Amino acid sequence: MAEDKKRYPKSLYSGHHQGTLPLLRQCADEKEEGDFMAIEIKRLIAHSGGILKYSDFAVLRFALQCSFARHRDISATRGHSAQGSQGHKFFERMEVKDLLAYLQLVDNPNFTPAFQRAINTPPRAIGDKSLTELVALANTHKISPMEAVEGIVSGRLSDIKPTAKRKLVPFVSVMRRLRKDAAVGVAPDELLRILVDQVQYAEHLRRSKEDHESRMENVQELISFAAQEHSAIASAWSITQDEATAAPDEEEETPLRLFLLASMLASDADGDHGEEGPKDEVIISTCHAAKGLEWPVVFIPAVAAGIFPHSRTEDFDEERRLLYVACTRAKAYLFLSHSEKRPQAPKCDLSPFIATVKNRQMIFTDQIPSVDQPAVRQLSLLLRREEPQKEVWLRMIEEHTAVIAARTTQAQITPPPEMGQSEHSAQNPCLMSCRSDLTVQCLIFQLSTRHRSRPRLVLVFRPSQQVRMSEAASR
């Protein structure tokens, strides 16, 4: 805050015990950023011996319309839930429902609710009376409303009104284009781009909504979600990108149908929980909505230029203050992260608010915080919670490590080239080739707990991201 020269100089201090430095982490992309938060939440809960609960964690974003990808990564991929705070759920938003209705109708022309939403979005001057007549015509001929509309346009069915055919032609043209592309296996994200372009959806939002820019960001988020789902499905079935977009057999699930199934599951995870009262869930909120609130652990993702400060802001000092407010919501642990790239930006730089101060003094660290017994004791005093018994603490750590090890690709342990097979034993150095630094962390913990003699190891690992050797050594 001292960078804001217009503010009156102040010297602030904390009355709490010296805690850990805030962690500043660089990730390859948003998916890796979400995975990091999910893994760290699990680790802190286990290593704190249960002092920390899921509801003690908050993920604070600049805006919630950008948070669905991380919400989904935190919720679904790591086996625990997260709840959004403030505003509508992602799949309840008007623009998301609009576009999904089109795709649902492409996949299933008999789905009347999707037809009723799509046919007049954007507005085509088709009133409720005309829509009722269309449905009645479909019922008379025992066909779906979509088939009735196509019949009217092609001249096979009688026109309900002289002007109806003219109004329906653009709608039918778009649907036929999307249906043709979906039939040959065009990826769902590309279908969405075609749809947005064909119906001029951005222009529709610009004319009808004051917050059209944020709504278009939600549209881009939906397209990114579709691309990630398509890529994940292709990877899961061990097929190439060409095979993933090849024309599917009629009896097989199309890429579009698989995406719609994924969006339904994600919508369930993103929905309300009824009236069961507050749940033990990670909080996802905005920096604005976090004012006056505090959590033991706070994550602030996307601390990048263009977000902090926002690319459209005119008040840099206010944006700096907003980030400062978000940072000071953390009682015990603070994590800031940013991605090297985002779907809308192939290259992202660190926020200038952070970049200008990170090298002046020890404000941030790149070391994952160690939660040992003294740290747990300080945490219990800070939060005024009962300190866990040592047996419980060790058991939770061991259980967490076992789960992580089961989810992580097993390390391949091989002797160095210069060592004979007979010389390769627990007492001699060995080479471990691991896929990620997380695998290294699990192996070190297992070896240190099972072999008190601490065998000498040489670790050679291929992480998915660049990890500094100092960080690996500390682990």
Side-chain angles (χ1 to χ4, degrees):
M1 289 305 299
E3 294 297 311
D4 184 358
K5 305 305 180 183
K6 292 182 293 185
R7 294 179 64 88
Y8 188 81
K10 306 180 186 71
S11 296
L12 304 179
Y13 69 94
S14 171
H16 286 304
H17 182 272
Q18 177 84 31
T20 59
L21 290 174
L23 181 137
L24 178 61
R25 190 174 185 90
Q26 177 177 307
C27 300
D29 51 33
E30 289 184 325
K31 176 66 167 59
E32 188 174 292
E33 201 172 1
D35 284 344
F36 164 70
M37 288 187 288
I39 292 170
E40 193 61 13
I41 288 170
K42 288 277 193 179
R43 186 186 75 91
L44 287 175
I45 289 176
H47 284 237
S48 70
I51 290 180
L52 295 173
K53 310 295 183 185
Y54 287 125
S55 55
D56 291 324
F57 294 80
V59 179
L60 303 182
R61 291 294 309 240
F62 178 84
L64 275 181
Q65 63 261 23
C66 306
S67 68
F68 174 68
R70 286 173 177 79
H71 188 160
R72 178 172 164 272
D73 289 335
I74 293 171
S75 301
T77 63
R78 295 296 168 183
H80 58 77
S81 57
Q83 62 173 327
S85 172
Q86 306 292 326
H88 294 293
K89 306 296 183 182
F90 183 79
F91 285 97
E92 292 177 359
R93 288 162 179 160
M94 179 206 75
E95 55 277 10
V96 175
K97 285 185 173 183
D98 287 346
L99 299 180
L100 287 181
Y102 272 93
L103 297 190
Q104 289 166 347
L105 191 59
V106 169
D107 182 66
N108 180 10
N110 298 320
F111 190 30
T112 302
F115 169 81
Q116 292 173 329
R117 186 178 190 102
I119 192 172
N120 220 22
T121 303
R124 297 184 175 91
I126 300 174
D128 292 340
K129 184 178 179 180
S130 298
L131 192 56
T132 302
E133 291 175 355
L134 279 172
V135 174
L137 180 65
N139 292 335
T140 300
H141 291 274
K142 296 182 179 180
I143 57 177
S144 70
M146 187 66 223
E147 290 174 300
V149 167
E150 292 189 82
I152 292 172
V153 171
S154 62
R156 290 183 285 106
L157 294 178
S158 59
D159 212 339
I160 56 175
K161 279 185 179 180
T163 58
K165 182 175 180 178
R166 177 175 55 81
K167 296 175 181 177
L168 294 173
V169 167
F171 173 66
V172 171
S173 176
V174 170
M175 293 304 300
R176 285 175 175 171
R177 164 74 188 277
L178 293 173
R179 193 181 304 150
K180 178 181 176 181
D181 290 341
V184 296
V186 172
D189 55 306
E190 185 60 28
L191 290 176
L192 284 168
R193 291 188 183 95
I194 294 171
L195 170 60
V196 170
D197 177 66
Q198 290 288 307
V199 302
Q200 298 181 335
Y201 195 75
E203 181 61 27
H204 159 61
L205 291 178
R206 192 174 296 110
R207 290 194 308 264
S208 59
K209 302 295 178 183
E210 292 184 1
D211 58 343
H212 59 90
E213 291 182 341
S214 64
R215 289 180 182 270
M216 273 307 297
E217 288 180 2
N218 291 333
V219 171
Q220 292 301 325
E221 188 73 30
L222 180 64
I223 293 174
S224 297
F225 169 63
Q228 290 171 6
E229 281 301 320
H230 184 61
S231 176
I233 291 169
S235 300
W237 290 97
S238 301
I239 57 180
T240 65
Q241 193 67 23
D242 291 339
E243 291 171 328
T245 56
D249 296 335
E250 289 186 2
E251 297 182 356
E252 294 182 354
E253 301 283 13
T254 64
L256 173 59
R257 183 164 298 171
L258 292 172
F259 162 67
L260 291 173
L261 289 172
S263 66
M264 288 173 61
L265 292 173
S267 178
D268 290 341
D270 193 41
D272 294 327
H273 299 289
E275 300 180 356
E276 301 175 13
K279 288 194 171 185
D280 186 22
E281 297 177 329
V282 177
I283 304 298
I284 298 180
S285 185
T286 65
C287 298
H288 291 88
K291 295 175 182 177
L293 302 175
E294 287 184 321
W295 294 272
V297 186
V298 169
F299 291 87
I300 308 177
V303 185
I307 298 180
F308 289 103
H310 197 273
S311 57
R312 296 191 299 269
T313 188
E314 296 181 357
D315 191 343
F316 277 49
D317 291 331
E318 175 61 21
E319 299 280 294
R320 180 188 289 108
R321 189 189 66 81
L322 181 64
L323 179 57
Y324 171 79
V325 168
C327 290
T328 55
R329 300 309 92 194
K331 292 182 178 180
Y333 295 100
L334 173 63
F335 297 84
L336 294 89
S337 60
H338 67 104
S339 304
E340 293 179 352
K341 60 181 180 179
R342 301 197 309 272
Q344 296 81 17
K347 186 178 184 301
C348 299
D349 296 322
L350 179 63
S351 166
F353 298 151
I354 303 298
T356 55
V357 299
K358 75 168 188 174
N359 295 323
R360 294 185 183 178
Q361 52 183 313
M362 288 296 293
I363 298 178
F364 302 102
T365 179
D366 59 359
Q367 306 294 317
I368 300 293
S370 175
V371 189
D372 51 15
Q373 273 195 298
V376 171
R377 188 171 298 112
Q378 288 297 331
L379 187 62
S380 67
L381 293 173
L382 175 64
L383 302 180
R384 298 181 181 180
R385 298 177 184 177
E386 184 177 356
E387 183 179 352
Q389 297 180 353
K390 185 176 181 179
E391 295 76 14
V392 175
W393 178 61
L394 291 175
R395 188 188 74 248
M396 290 188 68
I397 293 176
E398 188 170 355
E399 289 174 353
H400 168 255
T401 305
V403 171
I404 291 293
R407 292 180 177 179
T408 308
T409 303
Q410 292 295 325
Q412 301 297 320
I413 303 178
T414 56
E418 67 273 12
M419 291 176 57
Q421 186 66 33
S422 60
E423 296 178 315
H424 184 228
S425 64
Q427 287 72 36
N428 291 325
C430 65
L431 288 176
M432 289 185 174
S433 179
C434 303
R435 178 161 296 183
S436 71
D437 57 331
L438 185 60
T439 313
V440 179
Q441 186 179 5
C442 294
L443 287 170
I444 290 176
F445 178 82
Q446 291 174 343
L447 289 166
S448 64
T449 53
R450 295 179 183 177
H451 305 282
R452 298 301 180 185
S453 59
R454 295 185 180 180
R456 294 169 293 165
L457 300 175
V458 177
L459 299 176
V460 180
F461 59 97
R462 299 185 298 270
S464 59
Q465 61 184 24
Q466 293 182 354
V467 179
R468 297 181 181 179
M469 290 305 298
S470 61
E471 183 177 351
S474 68
R475 293 184 178 183

